[in-house]
Amino acid sequence: MRYFIELSYNGKNYHGWQIQPDAISVQEKINNALSTVYQKDIQIVGAGRTDTGVHASQMFAHFDIDKLIDDNLEFKLNSILPNDIFIKAIFLVDDEKHARFDALSRSYEYKIWLGRNPFLLDFSWQIHSQKPNVTLMNEAAKLLLDYEDFESFSKVKTNVHTFNCNVTEAFWVQKDNQLTFHISANRFLRNMVRAIVGTLLDVGLEKISISDFKKIIESKNRSNAGLSVPAKGLFLTQIKY
């Protein structure tokens, strides 16, 4: 039988979602917790991957087991897992349902704090002295919906068959000192959101024009795009099936 897990996590203490040698990952922690409960090796499959330091307010994963799960499995897992990982729900799905391949879209938010706030240091990138032009940034962000190839914003050394993504929304919202970038797509490339945010900030700070931003997309060259902003401001917020 196949079960889906809905969870959230603070990525500060983890080298991303995916298991890797000599580094602590979210996936490893959940695998270990499930294996401890059932006294057998259980491996979960995530809906995607988040990089080192990136957070998730909603993530899904699936696992297979040959019996019905305990009614209090969520409680058992949460009692084993560290406090920065939280299991929200576990539910039975069809055997063919796949957490990664059946996901229709994924949404991210990137949070910037304009000024200093010691209570948000782990969950936003703080810009102390500059005030970006949000109107210009939103005009540039609209252009993302007109393109499919986002190689300009992809990590250079990445093993993918295509750089094509279908971006369905991309916009900034400012509320007082909180500036949040929202973006949704069917898939994302490694480092893509953080590179887009860094380049849009260059537009907002008038280091480059909206026309320049368009040329950067069309160049398909990562070296033409802006910096990759810090991971701590990035949240995976929603996965739709």
Side-chain angles (χ1 to χ4, degrees):
M1 288 174 282
R2 177 159 293 181
Y3 285 88
F4 262 41
I5 302 175
E6 182 184 2
L7 67 140
S8 59
Y9 54 86
N10 175 345
K12 178 183 177 181
N13 296 318
Y14 300 98
H15 287 73
W17 165 265
Q18 189 177 23
I19 286 180
Q20 50 190 297
D22 304 319
I24 301 172
S25 69
V26 178
Q27 186 181 27
E28 177 187 3
K29 289 290 186 181
I30 300 172
N31 283 350
N32 291 345
L34 275 168
S35 299
T36 297
V37 170
Y38 287 107
Q39 294 296 295
K40 61 190 293 186
D41 182 48
I42 297 178
Q43 303 288 321
I44 62 171
V45 176
R49 303 171 184 173
T50 54
D51 291 336
T52 299
V54 176
H55 317 291
S57 52
Q58 185 182 63
M59 171 62 117
F60 286 96
H62 76 249
F63 68 95
D64 296 326
I65 194 167
D66 56 4
K67 61 181 178 180
L68 290 171
I69 63 169
D70 303 340
D71 292 337
N72 60 348
L73 179 58
E74 294 163 31
F75 173 80
K76 288 181 178 179
L77 292 176
N78 284 324
S79 66
I80 296 172
L81 288 165
N83 292 332
D84 50 13
I85 301 174
F86 177 64
I87 305 299
K88 296 180 178 180
I90 303 174
F91 49 94
L92 185 67
V93 296
D94 294 337
D95 291 347
E96 295 79 24
K97 191 79 171 178
H98 198 284
R100 179 183 174 191
F101 298 133
D102 287 342
L104 301 176
S105 71
R106 297 159 174 85
S107 298
Y108 282 88
E109 292 180 5
Y110 192 88
K111 299 182 182 297
I112 295 174
W113 184 262
L114 302 176
R116 294 179 183 270
N117 188 326
F119 303 106
L120 297 176
L121 281 174
D122 292 337
F123 304 106
S124 64
W125 185 32
Q126 302 195 5
I127 299 177
H128 305 151
S129 58
Q130 297 171 304
K131 293 185 178 180
N133 185 322
V134 180
T135 300
L136 287 177
M137 290 159 66
N138 267 323
E139 287 182 30
K142 288 179 184 177
L143 293 173
L144 296 169
L145 278 65
D146 297 333
Y147 291 88
E148 290 185 343
D149 191 318
F150 293 98
E151 186 172 359
S152 294
F153 304 115
S154 173
K155 206 158 192 167
V156 176
K157 295 181 180 179
T158 182
N159 184 23
V160 294
H161 298 297
T162 176
F163 293 98
N164 287 1
C165 306
N166 178 25
V167 176
T168 54
E169 63 175 9
F171 61 91
W172 292 88
V173 174
Q174 182 171 5
K175 185 177 181 182
D176 299 323
N177 284 37
Q178 182 75 68
L179 186 57
T180 305
F181 178 59
H182 301 261
I183 186 167
S184 299
N186 63 326
R187 65 189 288 263
F188 287 89
L189 306 167
R190 284 195 66 192
N191 218 233
M192 175 175 163
V193 179
R194 291 161 61 193
I196 286 174
V197 170
T199 313
L200 287 173
L201 273 174
D202 284 345
V203 174
L205 296 173
E206 299 186 42
K207 294 179 179 179
I208 62 173
S209 66
I210 293 175
S211 177
D212 291 332
F213 184 75
K214 184 175 182 180
K215 290 176 183 175
I216 287 169
I217 300 173
E218 293 174 350
S219 75
K220 302 179 184 180
N221 187 334
R222 176 65 184 92
S223 64
N224 292 331
L227 62 82
S228 176
V229 292
K232 62 183 180 179
L234 184 59
F235 293 76
L236 173 61
T237 56
Q238 188 178 49
I239 301 172
K240 292 183 179 180
Y241 290 92

